[in-house]
Amino acid sequence: MKIDLTDTTASKINKALVQGRRAIGTPAVGMVLTMVIVTDEENAYDAIKAAEEASHEHPSRTLVVIKRHARTPRDRTNSHLDAEVRVGADAGTGETVILRTYGEVSDHADSVVLPLLLPDAPVVVWWPVDAPENPAKDPLGALAQRRITDLYAVENPLQVLETRVRSYAPGDTDLAWTRLTPWRSMLAAALDQARERIISGAVEAEEDNPAAELLARWLEARLKVKIDRVVTAGPVVTAVRLGTANGEVVIDRPEGPLATLSLPGQPSRTLALKVRTTSELIAEELRRLDADEMYAVALRGEGTKETPSHV
Amino acid sequence: MALTAMEEPIAFDAESLLTEKLKVLKSVQLPENLGEHTVRGQYAAAWQGGEQVLGYLEEDGIDPASTTDTYAAIKVNVDNRRWAGVPFYLRTGKRLGRRVTEIAVVFQTAPHSPFDSTATEELGKNAIVIRVQPDEGMTVRFGSKVPGTSMEIRDVTMDFAYGESFTESSPEAYERLILDVLLGDANLFPRHQEVEESWKILDPIEEHWATHGRPAQYASGSWGPEEADEMLARDGRSWRRP
């Protein structure tokens, strides 16, 4: 069911949530987290869809903050908040509140979001596009344990990657990094079999691919060898080659969901390595909500000694 | 607080309730250093829930030099056998994040955890939260293993809400009180002894505040001044987000 509220406040939205929950009758859903999506009207539909799909794995309250820009100066001074409350079948397995902010309230969206957060539960903020320069210092980002950005959605990924390195705070993560998880687990498994010292390496990918850069930095940090970046026609990351004294360990994915793994002295075999959808990435990202220490290592790219925070 | 900390009354009538509540109130001890364990505040101009609101000192008819507090947080101890060593933190205020009345009983972490630190990294403290208003009910919060092959424990909640189990809505707090006045039922009313005992607890704090410092300013729509967070941080704790 949907409840539309125009020119509203956070307390009215809270009442509508309780009202909606009572109206549908069976709201016994233990929501485990609050997901805040900060986006614009153009990207809202896809982001909400991805979040709803991810909510099948992680029941959550989704707050979508859409900042709207008025065309005329007169409308720009008029500050108000519209909300659309969705509960039940319209909202995946949780509750969705779409907040549209106009005028000055757009700069104070955190004041609307704070009263709507679930008690005690962790908060995740996701910027599908236009992430702030320093996510941890952003008023909305400061509310969250986990801040998800996406380097695939920026104009100049490698330049933005450098600012992310500088602004990194525990809890930051990026979907470009999440996309690498299958690659990383395949590579780690391949090296378990090869059991040889790696003396050289290369990552092949399309031009300006942030995931490839992160993968190369991760390999450099972990293997302590120089990794070459090779530009191919894509799509995304196409191959990783790791040289040993006896030959190369290669995972090659020219296209499609199938990759080929070749190990020295062994027959090559095929692996499933598909490019996943945003909702799968988000669902994976929500599985662990503590700081991603490996991402920090990969961002910095140097062979720094690991200092896990939990020891 | 008295209702939370009191022993079971022998009967559910006003007299027995009063006896138990009085016992608790009489055993309340204030911390020695009131400056460190109490905080007061005044709301400042900010955005609250999507609206711009004035600060307390800018409100109509308020003296700009007023030291009246609109927020208070204190720590008390109940000095009896059952509650020895358990701090009670009370906080209340106007213009906070949202209107909510809750009692949270937060449990200690288990003395021995068989899980390693990575597995319990996301595990908070177990708690029972009694929601007095709004959305009356109760939540039990505990850790559960995340399904799958990896060992990972995460907080989950078990929820009971009056509005869901009984579709009849409960009467407003004051409706209920007025009914009790008409019936002559004093269960929910504090007696003069209780009021006196309560003031005995608060008087030293008021006196301390009258002579020391000014109320801390906090942004309207937030959950109180930073000083209150620092007050709990000194005890190695933090406020829960209601």
Side-chain angles (χ1 to χ4, degrees):
Chain A
M1 95 180 254
K2 275 185 199 175
I3 303 171
D4 277 316
L5 300 164
T6 36
D7 202 359
T8 188
T9 60
S11 67
K12 288 184 196 152
I13 299 169
N14 256 323
K15 281 198 192 112
L17 277 169
V18 174
Q19 186 200 333
R21 230 182 286 155
R22 286 189 184 173
I24 59 167
T26 50
V29 176
M31 287 177 284
V32 293
L33 56 95
T34 311
M35 172 103 175
V36 183
I37 304 174
V38 188
T39 181
D40 53 14
E41 203 66 68
E42 184 190 342
N43 295 287
Y45 179 80
D46 289 334
I48 294 168
K49 211 170 134 209
E52 268 169 22
E53 276 165 34
S55 85
H56 289 289
E57 186 171 330
H58 309 276
S60 57
R61 177 179 286 179
T62 310
L63 306 173
V64 189
V65 180
I66 302 173
K67 297 182 181 180
R68 301 199 79 167
H69 299 285
R71 294 274 171 83
T72 58
R74 190 175 55 88
D75 287 349
R76 232 167 274 155
T77 53
N78 169 17
S79 154
H80 74 280
L81 168 74
D82 289 348
E84 184 182 327
V85 177
R86 299 181 187 172
V87 287
D90 289 320
T93 58
E95 299 165 340
T96 303
V97 183
I98 301 169
L99 303 159
R100 291 194 168 83
T101 59
Y102 302 81
E104 218 184 332
V105 71
S106 300
D107 301 328
H108 303 277
D110 54 311
S111 83
V112 186
V113 167
L114 181 71
L116 297 176
L117 299 176
L118 289 171
D120 297 316
V123 180
V124 179
V125 176
W126 172 33
W127 291 271
V129 287
D130 298 335
E133 197 126 294
N134 189 340
K137 291 275 162 60
D138 182 83
L140 280 166
L143 298 173
Q145 269 92 335
R146 190 110 185 168
R147 295 165 290 273
I148 306 174
T149 52
D150 192 356
L151 283 171
Y152 273 39
V154 298
E155 194 69 45
N156 196 337
L158 296 186
Q159 209 176 318
V160 177
L161 184 67
E162 291 314 314
T163 64
R164 292 281 151 73
V165 176
R166 281 195 296 278
S167 67
Y168 175 82
D172 286 4
T173 184
D174 198 283
L175 290 183
W177 174 245
T178 321
R179 287 186 181 94
L180 291 175
T181 313
W183 277 95
R184 289 167 54 219
S185 51
M186 292 299 175
L187 282 168
L191 288 188
D192 275 348
Q193 289 175 28
R195 299 212 158 273
E196 306 225 25
R197 235 189 92 75
I198 304 298
I199 45 176
S200 69
V203 171
E204 297 179 5
E206 63 188 12
E207 210 175 347
D208 273 351
N209 185 296
E213 177 63 26
L214 280 171
L215 185 58
R217 287 184 185 199
W218 175 68
L219 289 169
E220 275 175 353
R222 304 303 291 159
L223 299 172
K224 315 225 166 24
V225 292
K226 175 90 185 65
I227 303 289
D228 299 324
R229 280 83 162 161
V230 181
V231 174
T232 62
V236 292
V237 182
T238 51
V240 175
R241 299 173 190 282
L242 298 172
T244 68
N246 293 334
E248 273 191 327
V249 177
V250 183
I251 296 184
D252 188 26
R253 181 184 65 180
E255 61 191 70
L258 279 186
T260 317
L261 166 68
S262 331
L263 291 167
Q266 289 184 29
S268 61
R269 63 197 98 153
T270 49
L271 304 170
L273 205 61
K274 85 181 226 276
V275 178
R276 294 175 300 163
T277 60
T278 315
S279 61
E280 283 173 77
L281 297 174
I282 289 290
E284 182 194 312
E285 209 40 75
L286 298 180
R287 245 167 253 163
R288 288 207 72 116
L289 295 173
D290 47 339
D292 190 339
E293 287 134 17
M294 256 314 137
Y295 173 62
V297 170
L299 260 188
R300 278 188 234 107
E302 56 215 49
T304 41
K305 219 171 130 253
E306 259 176 88
T307 44
S309 60
H310 51 79
V311 171
Chain B
M1 191 209 93
L3 280 172
T4 312
M6 72 179 186
E7 295 294 319
E8 201 180 339
I10 48 169
F12 200 70
D13 57 34
E15 200 59 46
S16 325
L17 278 173
L18 173 73
T19 320
E20 296 303 332
K21 280 200 274 184
L22 266 184
K23 265 164 52 185
V24 171
L25 290 172
K26 279 185 177 160
S27 48
V28 165
Q29 293 273 315
L30 287 179
E32 296 222 332
N33 187 341
L34 286 178
E36 267 190 19
H37 298 291
T38 65
V39 170
R40 60 180 167 153
Q42 274 176 344
Y43 58 84
W47 285 76
Q48 181 198 26
E51 281 177 317
Q52 193 163 23
V53 292
L54 289 176
Y56 178 71
L57 300 177
E58 295 143 23
E59 300 272 13
D60 263 359
I62 300 293
D63 176 7
S66 168
T67 56
T68 309
D69 34 75
T70 63
Y71 174 96
I74 61 170
K75 172 188 176 178
V76 296
N77 289 302
V78 177
D79 204 10
N80 60 23
R81 194 184 167 86
R82 185 185 289 280
W83 297 107
V86 180
F88 283 75
Y89 297 96
L90 313 174
R91 63 171 165 168
T92 177
K94 294 191 183 299
R95 288 264 168 87
L96 296 181
R98 64 191 170 98
R99 184 187 295 260
V100 60
T101 311
E102 283 180 349
I103 302 162
V105 182
V106 181
F107 294 101
Q108 288 186 351
T109 38
H112 169 75
S113 164
F115 310 107
D116 63 20
S117 59
T118 347
T120 52
E121 213 166 349
E122 288 166 50
L123 181 67
K125 290 199 167 94
N126 294 352
I128 291 182
V129 180
I130 301 158
R131 291 194 303 274
V132 182
Q133 241 178 357
D135 196 15
E136 298 80 355
M138 203 176 91
T139 300
V140 182
R141 196 169 175 73
F142 56 95
S144 161
K145 184 189 173 300
V146 178
T149 47
S150 70
M151 193 60 201
E152 197 191 332
I153 297 155
R154 186 185 270 194
D155 282 340
V156 292
T157 56
M158 209 152 70
D159 210 58
F160 159 71
Y162 268 101
E164 286 153 19
S165 304
F166 306 98
T167 41
E168 200 177 349
S169 57
S170 31
E172 280 285 309
Y174 281 100
E175 284 172 24
R176 180 68 203 280
L177 283 183
I178 292 166
L179 177 70
D180 282 356
V181 169
L182 298 177
L183 294 176
D185 185 351
N187 273 2
L188 297 171
F189 290 88
R191 292 270 179 98
H192 65 93
Q193 297 104 309
E194 250 182 282
V195 177
E196 261 169 38
E197 283 301 327
S198 308
W199 277 111
K200 264 189 213 160
I201 301 168
L202 292 182
D203 275 343
I205 299 176
E206 293 268 297
E207 279 160 27
H208 176 86
W209 282 350
T211 50
H212 293 77
R214 291 185 54 81
Q217 299 283 318
Y218 61 95
S220 297
S222 71
W223 286 115
E226 271 168 36
E227 283 81 353
D229 298 338
E230 286 162 18
M231 169 183 138
L232 255 75
R234 276 196 284 272
D235 293 352
R237 298 165 199 274
S238 60
W239 294 108
R240 52 183 291 280
R241 192 182 57 236

